[in-house]
Amino acid sequence: MYIDDMHASVIIYLPDKHGREIASLLAGPVRFISNATDLLNHIQQKNASIVCVDPYRLLTLPEDVVRSMVLVFLPSETKRPEMKHKVFLADVISRYRPAAVLADDWQEEDLNLALQIAEAQLERSRFERHRRESMFAVSQRISNAVAKEDDEIQALLAATDIVGEALESVYAEIWVPDAAGEKLIHSGLLGSFTQEQYVPFFEHTRHMSFEKGQGLPGKAWQENEIFWKYDVRRDADTHSPELMTKYNFGAALVIPIRLGELLRAVVVLFFSEPQIQDPFRIELASRAAWEFQQSVFNKSELVRYSRQSQRMRELIS
């Protein structure tokens, strides 16, 4: 296997002779390390490493360091009682979840396959880390947007822009309750990421309204939960399938926004193609809605406290 084709640093962490023999089987830059100090230094300098190791050597390393690696377990050179070894191996496999465990009679192709599996696991870890970082960044931006905007609906528009951009939505609607609380009406606001081709759609829909249970906004109002639609052009809940077809919308993500028991708005994000439900998008939207609701509540509490303090100062004066 040519390690140059891989994105990760590959380390053989074994005693000298055995480690060098295994490293010689791999073409490309492989780091052979025989002592714990050098391994720890290397791990601290690299973002990610695939470590081929005798699992007994993990006992000398800090657990957080071990968990930062993608592991390939090699057979131990030291013979131990069979039953005790099986118990130990089951324990470390359960604890550290290695990408692969090579048998005593492993061949070169087994090692190559194990490294390919480890690389795939590493890529998955990178992907998941990127998504977690995206969620955190979106939450921070929403909190900052609410702090800057005095008007709640403008703050919601800013939050919608943030989520829409993060999820690569092509169009967003914000629906709000009317004065009587009987219908949802269009907020009249257009997101900053809206492309010019969707402006006529905005002009057409801004005069619509929905009762509870009617259309996508009304359904979110009734069910009080985020939901995903695979293809709004062919969905019974869509308020205007003809319009959705005309403007070539595909999937949709519908997000109710509440403060306490009171519905404040329903956000609908549209996507350019039909797409199956993505748990990441649902989770990001849920966290974004919670962050917005919590930020608005905290800001209102701060304003209320400030007003009470002002009244107290006036009374004392």
Side-chain angles (χ1 to χ4, degrees):
M1 179 179 186
Y2 286 89
I3 304 303
D4 283 331
D5 296 336
M6 303 180 68
H7 304 296
S9 169
V10 177
I11 298 170
I12 307 297
Y13 178 49
L14 290 171
D16 288 347
K17 183 180 178 182
H18 189 206
R20 293 187 190 279
E21 288 175 356
I22 293 176
S24 68
L25 299 176
L26 302 171
V30 180
R31 183 73 181 269
F32 165 67
I33 296 177
S34 61
N35 65 81
T37 302
D38 289 346
L39 178 65
L40 292 173
N41 290 336
H42 181 84
I43 294 297
Q44 289 173 356
Q45 296 170 9
K46 295 284 185 178
N47 290 329
S49 295
I50 296 172
V51 180
C52 301
V53 61
D54 173 349
Y56 285 95
R57 303 202 84 199
L58 299 178
L59 299 176
T60 63
L61 299 173
E63 186 159 326
D64 60 328
V65 173
V66 177
R67 292 187 184 279
S68 71
M69 309 169 185
V70 175
L71 300 168
V72 173
F73 283 175
L74 301 170
S76 177
E77 287 293 289
T78 305
K79 298 302 179 182
R80 294 173 172 84
E82 184 178 1
M83 185 55 64
K84 186 178 291 187
H85 173 69
K86 286 182 177 180
V87 171
F88 168 78
L89 194 59
D91 178 63
V92 291
I93 290 173
S94 174
R95 187 185 309 172
Y96 298 125
R97 299 189 180 278
V101 180
L102 297 184
D104 291 341
D105 57 349
W106 65 271
Q107 303 295 318
E108 182 177 344
E109 57 267 26
D110 299 325
L111 178 58
N112 289 334
L113 179 59
L115 290 176
Q116 291 177 38
I117 295 171
E119 174 69 4
Q121 183 174 313
L122 190 59
E123 284 300 312
R124 178 67 180 177
S125 298
R126 287 175 178 147
F127 181 65
E128 292 296 334
R129 183 172 66 250
H130 173 71
R131 286 191 158 189
R132 289 194 299 270
E133 290 170 352
S134 296
M135 288 186 188
F136 178 76
V138 164
S139 295
Q140 287 294 106
R141 291 178 64 194
I142 288 175
S143 178
N144 293 338
V146 172
K148 291 178 182 177
E149 291 288 350
D150 292 330
D151 183 71
E152 183 180 311
I153 195 65
Q154 288 294 333
L156 179 57
L157 176 62
T160 301
D161 284 345
I162 292 166
V163 176
E165 290 170 3
L167 297 182
E168 299 180 344
S169 167
V170 296
Y171 183 78
E173 298 175 331
I174 300 176
W175 300 88
V176 296
D178 64 6
E182 297 176 351
K183 294 182 178 181
L184 290 174
I185 58 176
H186 202 291
S187 65
L189 299 174
L190 192 61
S192 63
F193 63 87
T194 302
Q195 299 175 19
E196 187 175 348
Q197 69 197 73
Y198 299 116
V199 173
F201 178 81
F202 167 76
E203 295 296 340
H204 189 99
T205 57
R206 66 184 302 183
H207 304 295
M208 290 182 173
S209 62
F210 299 97
E211 297 179 354
K212 185 177 288 189
Q214 182 184 23
L216 298 179
K219 183 180 180 183
W221 184 10
Q222 182 178 60
E223 298 188 0
N224 189 30
E225 63 181 9
I226 293 176
F227 62 86
W228 179 270
K229 290 295 184 181
Y230 168 74
D231 188 353
V232 292
R233 296 168 298 184
R234 296 174 176 82
D235 194 279
D237 293 317
T238 302
H239 44 283
S240 181
E242 298 79 11
L243 273 179
M244 301 299 165
T245 302
K246 179 179 178 181
Y247 289 95
N248 202 33
F249 288 130
L253 179 59
V254 189
I255 313 164
I257 305 295
R258 289 183 175 269
L259 292 181
E261 296 299 316
L262 184 64
L263 179 77
R264 304 306 286 264
V266 173
V267 175
V268 184
L269 297 174
F270 292 101
F271 301 86
S272 60
E273 297 177 354
Q275 298 176 27
I276 61 173
Q277 179 172 310
D278 183 348
F280 166 72
R281 286 174 167 169
I282 299 294
E283 184 178 358
L284 187 145
S286 298
R287 291 192 181 188
W290 182 89
E291 185 65 43
F292 176 81
Q293 292 160 181
Q294 194 65 32
S295 297
V296 169
F297 174 78
N298 292 342
K299 187 174 182 179
S300 64
E301 286 294 294
L302 185 62
V303 170
R304 186 176 65 84
Y305 176 77
S306 178
R307 288 174 179 171
Q308 288 179 344
S309 298
Q310 178 64 27
R311 292 194 193 99
M312 289 297 295
R313 286 194 294 269
E314 290 172 355
L315 287 172
I316 293 172
S317 300

